[in-house]
Amino acid sequence: FYGYPFFPIPLSCRTGKRIRKKPTRKMQEKLNWRHAAEKLTRILNTNFTEEDLSLTLTFRENPIDDEAAKKAIQKFLRKIRYRFRKLERELKYIWQLEKTKKGRYHIHMVLSGGIDRDTLEKLWGNGYANSKRLQFDQNGLAALSRYIGKSCIDSEEERVTYRSYNGSKNLIDPE
C-alpha cells in the first residue's frame, strides 16, 4: 500500500480544482422545454376541471403564412368569447399553433367548458375540429401539456409562436 489509496482518485480531486462542464445548447433547450411543460401542467391543474375541453383544430385549406393562421385563431376566440358572454361564463384557454414539415398548420387548445362540443366544432369553420374532455388521471394533464408545448428539438413539427403556449389573461398562476 505504501501511501497509495485503496481506490483511484480522479485528477480533479487530487489537484483540488473542480472541473465544471457547461451544458450544451441542445441539453439546455431540452431542460428549458421540460421546465415549460411542468409549468404548463401546474397551470392546467390550477385552472381547468373535468368539464373542460381539449381541442385539436386543423385547416381545410392551409393559410398563406403564420400571420393568417394567427388571425384565424383570434377570429375563433372572438366567436367563443361572444358565446361565453351570452352564457355569462368565464372563458379560460391555452393554445399553441404548430406547423408540420410539410407546411400544414394545426392548433392545440385547452378551453373551459360551458359550450356544447358540437357547437364548438361548428364555430371553427376552417376545417376539422376534434374535442374531448380533459382527463385527470395518472398521465392525463402531464401528457397533454407535453403534447401542447412539445419540443421542436426532437419532433418534426415547428412552433410558430415564440412562447411554448399562449393563454388567456385570466389564468391563475399556481403557487
Side-chain angles (χ1 to χ4, degrees):
F1 297 116
Y2 307 106
Y4 292 106
F6 293 104
F7 52 89
I9 299 175
L11 183 61
S12 62
C13 294
R14 288 186 217 157
T15 60
K17 292 183 180 179
R18 184 172 167 208
I19 298 174
R20 292 182 119 190
K21 290 184 178 180
K22 280 189 162 183
T24 63
R25 181 162 180 79
K26 190 115 175 145
M27 286 171 52
Q28 189 63 46
E29 285 176 0
K30 284 186 177 185
L31 182 64
N32 291 346
W33 172 77
R34 192 172 72 221
H35 288 305
E38 290 169 357
K39 182 179 179 183
L40 182 57
T41 302
R42 291 191 299 272
I43 288 173
L44 289 174
N45 279 314
T46 304
N47 290 287
F48 297 99
T49 63
E50 291 178 349
E51 64 184 42
D52 298 330
L53 300 171
S54 168
L55 286 167
T56 302
L57 308 168
T58 56
F59 289 91
R60 188 178 308 111
E61 294 180 18
N62 212 27
I64 299 168
D65 59 354
D66 297 349
E67 292 302 317
K70 289 177 192 176
K71 285 183 181 183
I73 295 170
Q74 291 168 354
K75 184 178 177 182
F76 177 63
L77 288 172
R78 272 195 305 270
K79 290 178 187 178
I80 293 173
R81 273 190 213 103
Y82 176 75
R83 295 286 175 118
F84 269 80
R85 273 192 221 117
K86 282 178 84 174
L87 296 172
E88 296 179 357
R89 295 201 55 151
E90 182 182 28
L91 173 65
K92 292 183 179 185
Y93 58 86
I94 290 176
W95 63 271
Q96 178 59 31
L97 175 66
E98 293 178 346
K99 184 177 175 183
T100 62
K101 281 199 174 187
K102 293 181 180 178
R104 303 286 299 171
Y105 291 94
H106 64 278
I107 302 145
H108 302 288
M109 185 179 285
V110 177
L111 187 70
S112 51
I115 294 182
D116 182 27
R117 290 177 9 189
D118 294 330
T119 307
L120 268 178
E121 292 174 3
K122 286 178 188 174
L123 282 176
W124 172 235
N126 290 325
Y128 304 107
N130 294 324
S131 61
K132 62 180 181 177
R133 298 256 178 236
L134 290 181
Q135 297 176 358
F136 285 80
D137 59 356
Q138 190 174 12
N139 293 323
L141 290 183
L144 179 65
S145 66
R146 285 191 305 271
Y147 185 64
I148 288 175
K150 72 181 103 179
S151 171
C152 297
I153 301 164
D154 294 331
S155 75
E156 55 189 51
E157 296 175 352
E158 175 186 337
R159 217 170 39 215
V160 176
T161 57
Y162 174 73
R163 307 177 102 207
S164 59
Y165 59 89
N166 303 283
S168 58
K169 292 180 181 178
N170 59 346
L171 293 174
I172 300 167
D173 287 332
E175 292 183 14

